[in-house]
């Protein structure tokens, strides 16, 4: 009888999904990383016009339409002053596929991938699927990733390390100095740095920096997407930016696994990137107001919570039984250990939901905190 592949047997359904399934239909959902804003109208129109004109009926180039890749290239020039050749971009089915391509193209069986713990659930799972060896490393007290910790973890078997800023699940933002160090580490150790920048525009203090700005070799690869910036999670449109030699290897995986990203989504993304950007700032301003509301509520409840500087997550330290108590009272939060062993004793909650729901949830969480102490 045919057995299942060992690399897949090492992957389980996300702990986030388990929490969703345990929640009641009327629960307040603070577990979902999805903005509660509509996709900007001009992005929707970009898809509609392409569909009505018949331009979205056929395969696009494997890498994506030239116009979309030019828009992505222009975005990096506009945002960071980086010259990205449109040929050095692949449009993907969300940031998730971009991460998958990066790992499949660069990790041989048994090779190590270093990533933050707690960190985004896909890093561990996709490393297993690539037949690599996950190597999670702990964070600083403020939940940022210390470059020294990454450098100490590198061995001759290390293929890559992952940087995620702003971060899911912590909301932490790495400093410019940290990003310079990550670039130096990638250059000096000849190890690939995969920089997950899906939340790049959702920053409340300071600026987002990419290690791509500081690298002297092609050992930095960037993953991003329209999902969070433009509230386009369902459109499934991301991209990967890297040197051409790396892009050509990732294209081999993408070509056979996906062929091309959805054509209507590509036209929507092109419109989102080239059209008005004021909606982005409106969303960021709203998320910052919600963050402050959540921080005040959690602190008033007696919980310690590092201040998130970006994304739309908070990760308070919580007492034993807190997550179960909160869930039983009708609020969905995700236990921190769903994001790695070092997440134990924390919970992740998303404030990508309405203010009134957040206020109600904070009252429930305060009651739950009193109940378990």
């Amino acid at each position: 009888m045919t057995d299942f592949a060992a690399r897949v047997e090492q992957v389980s359904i996300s702990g986030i999904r388990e929490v969703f399934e345990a929640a009641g239909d009327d629960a307040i959902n603070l577990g979902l990383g999805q903005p509660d804003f509509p996709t900007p109208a001009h992005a929707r129109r970009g898809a509609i016009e392409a569909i009505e004109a018949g331009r979205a009926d056929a395969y696009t180039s494997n890498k994506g339409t030239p116009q979309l890749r030019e828009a992505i290239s222009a975005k990096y020039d506009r945002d960071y002053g980086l010259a990205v050749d449109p040929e050095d971009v692949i449009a993907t089915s969300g940031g998730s596929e971009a991460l998958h391509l990066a790992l499949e193209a660069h990790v041989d069986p048994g090779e190590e991938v270093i990533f933050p713990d707690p960190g985004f659930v896909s890093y561990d799972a996709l490393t297993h699927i690539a037949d690599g060896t996950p190597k999670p490393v702990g964070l600083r007290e403020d939940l940022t990733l210390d470059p020294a910790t990454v450098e100490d973890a590198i061995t001759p078997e290390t293929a890559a390390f992952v940087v995620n800023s702003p971060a899911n699940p912590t909301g932490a933002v790495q400093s410019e100095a940290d990003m310079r160090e990550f670039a130096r580490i990638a250059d000096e150790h000849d190890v690939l740095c995969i920089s997950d920048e899906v939340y790049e525009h959702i920053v409340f203090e300071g600026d987002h920096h990419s290690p791509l700005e500081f690298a002297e070799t092609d050992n930095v690869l960037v993953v991003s997407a329209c999902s969070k910036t433009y509230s386009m999670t369902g459109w499934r449109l991301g991209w990967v930016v890297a040197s051409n030699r790396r892009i050509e290897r990732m294209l081999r995986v993408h070509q056979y696994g996906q062929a091309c990203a959805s054509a209507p989504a590509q036209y929507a993304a092109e419109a989102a990137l080239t059209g008005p950007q004021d909606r982005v700032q409106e969303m960021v301003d709203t998320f910052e107001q919600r963050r402050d509301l959540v921080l005040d509520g959690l602190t008033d409840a007696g919980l310690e919570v590092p201040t998130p500087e970006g994304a739309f997550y908070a990760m308070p330290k919580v007492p034993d039984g807190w997550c179960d108590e909160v869930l039983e009272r009708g609020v969905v939060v995700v236990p921190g250990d769903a994001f790695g062993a070092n997440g134990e004793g924390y919970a992740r909650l998303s404030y990508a939901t309405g203010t009134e729901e957040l206020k109600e949830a904070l009252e429930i969480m305060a009651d739950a905190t009193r109940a378990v102490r």
Side-chain angles (χ1 to χ4, degrees), residues 56-310:
D57 293 347
Y59 294 122
T60 72
S61 163
N62 292 136
K63 287 183 178 180
T65 68
Q67 295 88 349
L68 172 58
R69 288 183 284 117
E70 288 166 5
I72 292 169
S73 172
K75 166 226 163 353
Y76 282 94
D77 183 26
R78 177 178 72 232
D79 293 345
Y80 309 114
L82 290 171
V84 172
D85 190 322
E87 288 299 308
D88 296 345
V89 178
I90 302 174
T92 61
S93 183
S96 298
E97 194 214 350
L99 284 170
H100 178 62
L101 299 183
L103 291 167
E104 287 291 340
H106 293 94
V107 179
D108 271 329
E111 287 189 326
E112 299 167 345
V113 178
I114 298 166
F115 53 81
D117 177 4
F120 181 43
V121 294
S122 289
Y123 304 146
D124 182 271
L126 289 175
T127 299
H128 279 301
I129 291 170
D131 212 10
T133 300
K135 195 168 186 180
V137 296
L139 305 178
R140 297 169 172 139
E141 280 297 312
D142 65 356
L143 302 182
T144 57
L145 180 63
D146 190 340
T149 301
V150 172
E151 191 163 25
D152 289 345
I154 291 173
T155 74
E157 302 304 315
T158 302
F161 65 91
V162 180
V163 176
N164 178 209
S165 177
N168 177 7
T170 64
V173 175
Q174 301 289 153
S175 68
E176 179 179 349
D178 283 348
M179 291 307 204
R180 288 182 181 275
E181 276 294 283
F182 289 131
R184 178 194 63 78
I185 291 166
D187 290 339
E188 291 187 6
H189 292 270
D190 197 21
V191 171
L192 182 66
C193 171
I194 300 173
S195 185
D196 180 351
E197 303 180 14
V198 168
Y199 295 89
E200 61 183 306
H201 290 293
I202 307 176
V203 177
F204 309 132
E205 284 94 25
D207 298 307
H208 166 74
H209 288 279
S210 170
L212 191 63
E213 299 174 59
F214 311 114
E216 296 181 0
T217 69
D218 74 344
N219 286 344
V220 172
L221 172 158
V222 171
V223 166
S224 195
C226 288
S227 301
K228 315 299 181 178
T229 300
Y230 299 105
S231 193
M232 293 176 65
T233 55
W235 293 84
R236 308 311 305 135
L237 198 291
W239 59 82
V240 58
V241 171
S243 68
N244 194 256
R245 72 185 185 110
R246 297 192 186 281
I247 286 292
E248 292 304 318
R249 269 65 174 190
M250 288 184 280
L251 189 63
R252 298 174 192 179
V253 182
H254 175 70
Q255 180 181 37
Y256 294 107
Q258 189 70 23
C260 64
S262 160
Q266 290 190 54
Y267 288 107
E270 178 192 343
L273 288 164
T274 59
Q277 302 297 302
D278 53 306
R279 291 294 305 278
V280 177
Q281 190 57 52
E282 289 173 12
M283 285 193 289
V284 173
D285 291 344
T286 300
F287 287 139
E288 184 172 8
Q289 293 167 10
R290 293 175 182 175
R291 179 204 62 172
D292 294 342
L293 173 68
V294 167
L295 287 179
D296 288 344
L298 294 175
T299 302
D300 289 346
L303 297 175
E304 180 183 345
V305 51
T307 300
E309 296 184 347

